[in-house]
Amino acid sequence: MDPHLIRTFVTVARCASFSTAAEELGYTQSAVSQQIAALEADLGVPLLRRRPVTPTDAGRRLLEHAAPILLRLDAARADIRRASGAPPAHLRAGASPLADSGRLAEALVRVRRSMPRVSVALSVLGREGVVTGVARGELDLGLVDGVTAPSDPLRLSDAGALTSTVVGESPLAAVLPAGHPLAGRATLRLDDLADAWWIDAPDAATPLAQLRAVARADGFRSGFGYDGAELSVLLALVAAGAGLALLPESVARDRPDVAAVRLAAPAPVHRTELVHGGLTGPAAACARLLQP
C-alpha cells in the first residue's frame, strides 16, 4: 500500500467529502478520486461508499491501521531530520494539562534568555497530542502526565523511537463535591469508588479506561463527558455534582466547593515524564532545567 494513497483515504473519510478533501490536500477532486480508486484496486475491495461518503467495513478496518502506520512514517522522517545534526533555531515544547506546564514555561523562558536568537513556543495539548507531536517532529520535547503504579512507567502510545524520563511524581486524590458523604474521609481506596459516577475527561483528568486498569476493577461509569482541558471547568463540574475526578491532590486543595481525598495505600501515583526523540541545543538545555 502506498502511504500517499492512505493519507488521501484518511482525509476523505474524515471530511466525508471528496471535494472538501481535495481542497485540504491541494489536489483536484478528480485526482483524489483517482487515488482512492487506485488504493481500492490495490486492496481489491471498495473502501468508501460514494453517496454519502462513508467508509465500508473494509474501509473502517483500514482506518484502524492507518493512524499508527502514518504516525510511524512521520516519526521515521522526523528521526532522520534530527540525526542530520542541523543546528536548531527554535524550541517547540508541548505539555498535557496536568503535566506542570508552569514549570515547563519557566524552563523555556530561561532558555530564551540564555539563547536570545532561538524562537520558543509552548503548546498545551492532550496527552496523545504531545506524544504524537514529538514523534512527528512538530515538538522538540514534551511533558506528558498520567496515572500509574509507583513502580511502573507510563503507558505511552507506540510512536517510534522516543525516550521518556520521569521528572515528577505526586499523590493522587479523589475529587468530590464539598457536600459529598465521603468528603470528610481522611483517605479512600480507589476500588471503593468503582460504583461511583465519574466525569469522562480524558485530557483534563485520569481517563476512565486508565482508572479501571490501575484499579484492576470494572465500573468507574461515566456520568458526564467533558472534552476540554481547562481544570477550572472540570472542578466546577465536580462541584456541581456531575461526577468525580481523579487528580493530583494539589490541584483541588484550595477550592472550598470541592474536597480532595487522598487515596489510601497501595495507591497509584500521578507521574510526569519528559518525552523526546533526541536532545540537542536549546532542547537539551531545557531538559536539564526540568530534571528533579
Side-chain angles (χ1 to χ4, degrees):
M1 289 183 289
D2 185 338
H4 178 71
L5 302 183
I6 296 176
R7 289 187 191 277
T8 300
F9 164 70
V10 169
T11 305
V12 173
R14 173 170 52 79
C15 296
S17 166
F18 280 76
S19 59
T20 303
E23 291 178 7
E24 182 174 315
L25 295 169
Y27 299 137
T28 65
Q29 183 172 337
S30 174
V32 169
S33 297
Q34 292 173 12
Q35 290 176 35
I36 297 300
L39 183 59
E40 291 177 326
D42 179 24
L43 294 174
V45 292
L47 299 172
L48 291 168
R49 301 181 186 90
R50 267 43 179 191
R51 294 184 181 180
V53 178
T54 57
T56 63
D57 289 342
R60 285 193 291 271
R61 294 293 293 272
L62 179 56
L63 286 172
E64 293 175 2
H65 292 284
I69 289 171
L70 296 176
L71 176 58
R72 291 303 295 266
L73 288 172
D74 289 341
R77 184 178 294 108
D79 194 39
I80 291 169
R81 285 200 301 266
R82 284 191 290 262
S84 68
H90 51 70
L91 174 53
R92 302 160 301 183
S96 53
L98 291 174
D100 200 351
S101 56
R103 180 180 172 192
L104 177 56
E106 291 176 4
L108 292 172
V109 170
R110 291 178 63 181
V111 171
R112 179 70 176 79
R113 287 172 178 166
S114 64
M115 303 178 182
R117 294 187 179 182
V118 174
S119 63
V120 178
L122 171 62
S123 300
V124 178
L125 308 165
R127 296 175 180 89
E128 289 298 313
V130 174
V131 175
T132 57
V134 173
R136 291 185 172 124
E138 298 163 357
L139 300 173
D140 300 299
L141 55 81
L143 286 185
V144 64
D145 74 288
V147 171
T148 184
S151 58
D152 293 342
L154 290 182
R155 296 181 180 179
L156 302 179
S157 58
D158 182 12
L162 298 183
T163 300
S164 62
T165 306
V166 177
V167 295
E169 282 188 357
S170 60
L172 284 161
V175 182
L176 315 92
H180 193 281
L182 299 176
R185 296 276 293 272
T187 61
L188 287 168
R189 291 180 59 87
L190 185 56
D191 52 7
D192 291 337
L193 299 170
D195 292 332
W197 291 98
W198 292 76
I199 297 175
D200 187 13
D203 286 332
T206 304
L208 299 189
Q210 197 172 19
L211 263 180
R212 298 183 191 104
V214 171
R216 299 178 182 176
D218 294 328
F220 301 98
R221 298 165 295 172
S222 172
F224 196 99
Y226 174 52
D227 293 332
E230 291 291 334
L231 291 176
S232 59
V233 175
L234 176 61
L235 292 172
L237 289 171
V238 173
L244 310 187
L246 188 65
L247 296 166
E249 185 182 30
S250 60
V251 169
R253 184 178 295 153
D254 298 325
R255 284 190 61 124
D257 53 353
V258 299
V261 183
R262 185 179 291 196
L263 298 184
V269 296
H270 178 262
R271 180 173 297 150
T272 298
E273 295 187 1
L274 171 68
V275 181
H276 61 87
L279 296 169
T280 59
C286 183
R288 287 193 292 271
L289 294 172
L290 292 170
Q291 295 303 317

